[in-house]
Amino acid sequence: MLDNEPLREFVTKIVASQGNQLRRNCTVGTADLDTATFTNFDQDIEGGISEMIEAVICSSAIPAVFPPQNWRNTTYVDGGSISNLDIGSAIQNCLDEVED
């Protein structure tokens, strides 16, 4: 397995360069290994940008390539492990943009 700490540093650096905020709606899909369910996190995540960074790292934990991530008392891997195409979140984000 590869170390994903360089990714965490890179994402943190990019977010910091943007003023520690997301400029667009964003959804990150993860797979909860404890319940075998698909779990979404979006820009409205409780805990703000630092928690969104953790969600991104969880989403990047591709099985057999990067280690599963333990976060919020749950073990997560890449959401594509369960749902490769999350159309529902994409549609909802588009609707949210129109409403704003």
Side-chain angles (χ1 to χ4, degrees):
M1 286 193 179
L2 300 173
D3 178 18
N4 59 3
E5 194 57 34
L7 176 61
R8 182 186 314 277
E9 292 170 8
F10 175 74
V11 171
T12 301
K13 180 180 173 182
I14 294 300
V15 170
S17 73
Q18 299 296 313
N20 285 324
Q21 63 181 353
L22 296 173
R23 297 175 189 251
R24 293 180 175 247
N25 288 344
C26 177
T27 299
V28 176
T30 63
D32 178 336
L33 287 184
D34 301 328
T35 62
T37 58
F38 184 80
T39 306
N40 272 326
F41 297 99
D42 64 22
Q43 68 281 349
D44 297 326
I45 190 170
E46 184 177 327
I49 196 70
S50 63
E51 291 292 286
M52 191 62 178
I53 291 170
E54 289 305 312
V56 168
I57 300 304
C58 290
S59 179
S60 70
I62 301 166
V65 179
F66 292 106
Q69 299 297 298
N70 295 310
W71 175 55
R72 295 182 167 186
N73 298 318
T74 304
T75 304
Y76 293 103
V77 294
D78 174 35
S81 303
I82 292 177
S83 177
N84 201 21
L85 191 58
D86 182 24
I87 296 294
S89 293
I91 291 170
Q92 187 59 51
N93 274 342
C94 288
L95 292 173
D96 291 346
E97 285 285 326
V98 169
E99 290 175 4
D100 292 340

